[in-house]
C-alpha cells in the first residue's frame, strides 16, 4: 500500500477510535442524543469488523507458514463464520 494511502487509513482509524471513545463517554454521562447512539452503534460495528479482519489475516498468515490455528468451519465449502460478516475480504482466500 502506498505510504500516503496507509497514513490516511491509519488516521481514519485513529479519528474513528477517538470518536468512539467520546460517544461512549457521552453515553456513560447520559448526555448522548439519539444520533450519538446511532453513530456509536456504527463505530462499534466497524471496530468489531476491523478486529475480526485483523484476526483472520493473522491466522491465515500463521496457517500459510504451516502453523496450526483454530478455525470455525461452518461447512466444507467455506471458512469461518466471521468472513460472512466482513471478517475477510474474500470468502476463502487461502483455498
Amino acid at each position: 500500500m502506498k505510504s500516503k494511502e496507509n497514513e490516511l487509513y491509519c488516521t481514519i482509524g485513529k479519528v474513528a477510535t477517538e470518536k468512539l471513545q467520546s460517544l461512549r463517554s457521552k453515553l456513560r454521562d447520559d448526555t448522548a442524543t439519539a444520533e450519538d447512539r446511532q453513530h456509536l452503534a456504527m463505530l462499534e460495528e466497524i471496530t468489531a469488523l476491523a478486529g475480526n479482519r485483523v484476526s483472520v489475516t493473522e491466522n491465515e498468515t500463521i496457517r500459510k507458514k504451516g502453523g496450526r490455528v483454530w478455525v470455525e468451519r461452518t461447512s466444507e465449502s467455506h471458512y469461518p463464520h466471521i468472513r460472512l460478516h466482513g471478517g475477510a475480504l474474500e470468502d476463502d482466500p487461502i483455498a
Side-chain angles (χ1 to χ4, degrees):
M1 187 179 319
K2 298 175 187 171
S3 179
K4 190 171 185 174
E5 185 179 14
N6 190 42
E7 183 177 347
L8 175 64
Y9 285 133
C10 287
T11 302
I12 290 168
K14 288 176 185 177
V15 170
T17 301
E18 291 166 3
K19 185 64 175 177
L20 178 63
Q21 292 169 350
S22 173
L23 291 168
R24 285 177 174 162
S25 177
K26 288 176 83 172
L27 193 64
R28 281 191 306 273
D29 295 342
D30 199 28
T31 59
T33 65
E35 186 176 63
D36 289 336
R37 286 180 173 80
Q38 290 176 337
H39 293 161
L40 176 62
M42 177 62 76
L43 286 172
E44 286 178 332
E45 178 73 8
I46 290 169
T47 301
L49 292 173
N52 285 348
R53 187 166 292 173
V54 168
S55 293
V56 167
T57 300
E58 288 174 351
N59 282 344
E60 289 176 354
T61 299
I62 292 168
R63 184 165 183 252
K64 284 179 184 178
K65 292 179 180 179
R68 294 179 54 96
V69 294
W70 178 88
V71 293
E72 170 190 355
R73 288 193 73 90
T74 53
S75 78
E76 290 302 312
S77 65
H78 59 276
Y79 264 83
H81 177 72
I82 59 172
R83 292 177 183 278
L84 304 177
H85 301 284
L89 296 175
E90 298 90 15
D91 186 42
D92 194 359
I94 59 176

